[in-house]
Amino acid sequence: MSSMPMLWPAVGLACFAGVVRGYCGFGFAMLLALGLMLFLPPVEAVPLALLLDLVTSIGLWRRAGRLADWPRLRRLLCGMVVATVVGVSVMATLPATPMRIAVALLALAGAMALLLRRDPRSVSDELEPDPTGRDAKGGGWPSVMAGGVSGLCMTLASSGGPPLMLYLLHRRLGPTTLRATAIVFFAASSMASLVGLGLAGELGRETLLRGAWLLVPALIGNALGQWAFERSKPRSMKVTVAPLLIALSVWVLAREAGYG
């Protein structure tokens, strides 16, 4: 970790990203990868973010497993596994600069989609989870496709959050079910991506060492976010995750354009 510049900003970023994920159920890997890319190449920043995302979510798995929408989740995971194979091959071959731009653009597009989405107008608009896991139209294929898009974005850019959350929000799941489903999906997606990147030789000793340094602050942030979620009314992602992603994405793009 001593070879990694800006150690303390990275520690603060890991803690802050943990707070966001503990509260919202997603956003950790995306925020951390974008921030780390300011001083690490994407091929190092993305695996590090995915590794920490997986390890720091362990404490959330048990409760999330009880509350998740499993029929729908199984179809999401099927799409994710297939897409991860494609994502690993692209991640291992794309140069650093185009990868940074791609990561920032994916995160920016997802953030704008979250920001522009209309929230349900009333409690009566909220729908109960479909016990079959099938969507109203098209059987289970929308779930498979959503899982594939999110899994691909997760492997390439740690930015699988917006595609999946947009899909789940469109299903109008309750906040607790939505959050639990997202936690389980991203744990599985991070694990699949890390296995693929490890087999491709992109997960080395340096990544594990950096992860060890950032683990404790990430866990502290995760606990703080979980505490806040259980003691406050959930806030819209329009005022939590979306503005943060936009700011970080624009910062990365500005640096790549020579303005930072």
Side-chain angles (χ1 to χ4, degrees), residues 16-40:
F16 179 72
V19 171
V20 173
R21 197 269 302 285
Y23 185 83
C24 299
F26 89 107
F28 177 89
M30 198 162 31
L31 287 171
L32 186 60
L34 279 172
L36 290 176
M37 282 196 311
L38 296 173
F39 38 87
L40 283 177

Side-chain angles (χ1 to χ4, degrees), residues 11-259:
V11 169
L13 178 65
C15 184
F16 179 72
V19 171
V20 173
R21 197 269 302 285
Y23 185 83
C24 299
F26 89 107
F28 177 89
M30 198 162 31
L31 287 171
L32 186 60
L34 279 172
L36 290 176
M37 282 196 311
L38 296 173
F39 38 87
L40 283 177
V43 75
E44 297 179 29
V46 171
L48 177 57
L50 290 174
L51 177 63
L52 284 167
D53 183 51
L54 179 64
V55 174
T56 56
S57 69
I58 291 175
L60 305 175
W61 292 355
R62 184 175 179 180
R63 185 168 185 265
R66 295 197 309 267
L67 300 174
D69 181 0
W70 276 101
R72 193 180 309 278
L73 185 57
R74 282 191 287 270
R75 290 174 171 80
L76 289 167
L77 293 175
C78 287
M80 176 273 293
V81 170
V82 174
T84 297
V85 177
V86 178
V88 168
S89 62
V90 174
M91 180 71 181
T93 57
L94 202 63
T97 296
M99 194 67 209
R100 283 195 187 94
I101 295 173
V103 171
L105 288 176
L106 283 171
L108 182 60
M112 292 302 298
L114 290 175
L115 195 63
L116 296 175
R117 178 189 176 273
R118 295 179 61 185
D119 291 325
R121 293 184 178 180
S122 65
V123 177
S124 62
D125 290 332
E126 295 292 328
L127 304 180
E128 293 295 327
D130 181 353
T132 67
R134 295 180 179 274
D135 298 281
K137 298 180 180 179
W141 284 108
S143 298
V144 176
M145 293 172 62
V149 172
S150 182
L152 182 62
C153 292
M154 193 73 171
T155 305
L156 288 176
S158 300
S159 61
L164 180 74
M165 298 308 287
L166 285 170
Y167 167 77
L168 294 178
L169 288 167
H170 183 65
R171 298 298 100 198
R172 296 178 184 173
L173 301 177
T176 302
T177 303
L178 184 151
R179 179 176 176 274
T181 303
I183 288 172
V184 176
F185 177 88
F186 291 125
S189 183
S190 294
M191 188 178 301
S193 298
L194 286 168
V195 169
L197 291 169
L199 293 174
E202 302 296 342
L203 187 64
R205 178 178 176 275
E206 190 70 15
T207 299
L208 299 177
L209 182 60
R210 289 166 175 160
W213 275 93
L214 298 180
L215 177 59
V216 172
L219 286 172
I220 292 173
N222 200 71
L224 291 173
Q226 175 81 0
W227 179 87
F229 176 80
E230 294 175 351
R231 288 163 178 79
S232 64
K233 182 180 179 180
R235 295 179 179 271
S236 169
M237 284 178 285
K238 291 182 179 181
V239 298
T240 53
V241 178
L244 297 172
L245 291 178
I246 291 172
L248 275 173
S249 300
V250 171
W251 189 1
V252 171
L253 290 171
R255 283 172 59 94
E256 292 304 314
Y259 294 108

